[in-house]
Amino acid sequence: MLTAEDKKLIAQAWEKVKAHKDAGAESLERMFMSYPQTKTYFPHFDLHAGSEQVRNHGKKVLNALDSAVKNMDNLSQCLSELSNLHAYNLRVDPVNFKLLSQCLQVVMAVHLGKDYTPEVHAAFDKFLSAVAAVLAEKYR
């Protein structure tokens, strides 16, 4: 459960993160490098660093997270369509949501530097775990 302080920290940090337009692509690239098995869901993509397809998908990831940040109190409804897409059409292994969350946190730490405090990290960890759980709830 996110506390009021968690929500405040998430909203503040997110404003800084989304200013880095390629943070989503950087997170995906890191995931593909660290967890090569995740590439199997993107056989039609050019997965090289800086590819336009990865950049575009990274923007989609950031847009979805931006919506989730704005709707922290109603993640299930906010992410329902995305959950359906991943569960029923794309059939993505839900473990990948957690892997991408970890990679996003590394990217956040790089870009935010000293502003990525242990408190921000803990709040984002709870938030991204909640997002991953919502995205995976259609699999049950």
Side-chain angles (χ1 to χ4, degrees):
M1 185 73 160
L2 296 171
T3 67
E5 182 64 18
D6 289 335
K7 292 174 186 178
K8 182 179 123 190
L9 290 171
I10 291 164
Q12 289 171 344
W14 184 249
E15 286 304 311
K16 296 173 187 172
V17 171
K18 73 179 189 176
H20 299 282
K21 301 291 184 200
D22 282 335
E26 290 174 36
S27 300
L28 287 167
E29 289 171 2
R30 183 173 291 279
M31 181 181 71
F32 296 145
M33 290 292 291
S34 300
Y35 308 102
Q37 70 274 18
T38 61
K39 293 178 184 180
T40 62
Y41 296 98
F42 298 89
H44 55 291
F45 272 32
D46 170 10
L47 297 178
H48 294 92
S51 97
E52 194 62 31
Q53 290 172 312
V54 173
R55 290 181 67 178
N56 286 337
H57 195 69
K59 289 175 188 172
K60 290 179 183 180
V61 169
L62 287 187
N63 287 339
L65 287 172
D66 188 52
S67 181
V69 168
K70 292 175 181 169
N71 294 282
M72 282 187 260
D73 292 324
N74 199 359
L75 286 177
S76 288
Q77 183 178 353
C78 171
L79 298 173
S80 179
E81 195 173 308
L82 200 55
S83 179
N84 285 336
L85 174 67
H86 283 86
Y88 302 127
N89 294 61
L90 302 175
R91 301 178 193 268
V92 173
D93 183 343
V95 168
N96 292 331
F97 304 134
K98 293 176 184 177
L99 299 178
L100 182 57
S101 294
Q102 292 170 356
C103 293
L104 176 62
Q105 288 188 70
V106 172
V107 170
M108 289 176 64
V110 168
H111 285 293
L112 296 180
K114 65 181 170 117
D115 290 336
Y116 196 68
T117 64
E119 295 80 12
V120 170
H121 182 172
F124 253 95
D125 192 51
K126 285 197 277 185
F127 170 68
L128 292 172
S129 291
V131 168
V134 166
L135 290 175
E137 69 187 9
K138 300 289 168 69
Y139 290 82
R140 298 179 191 138

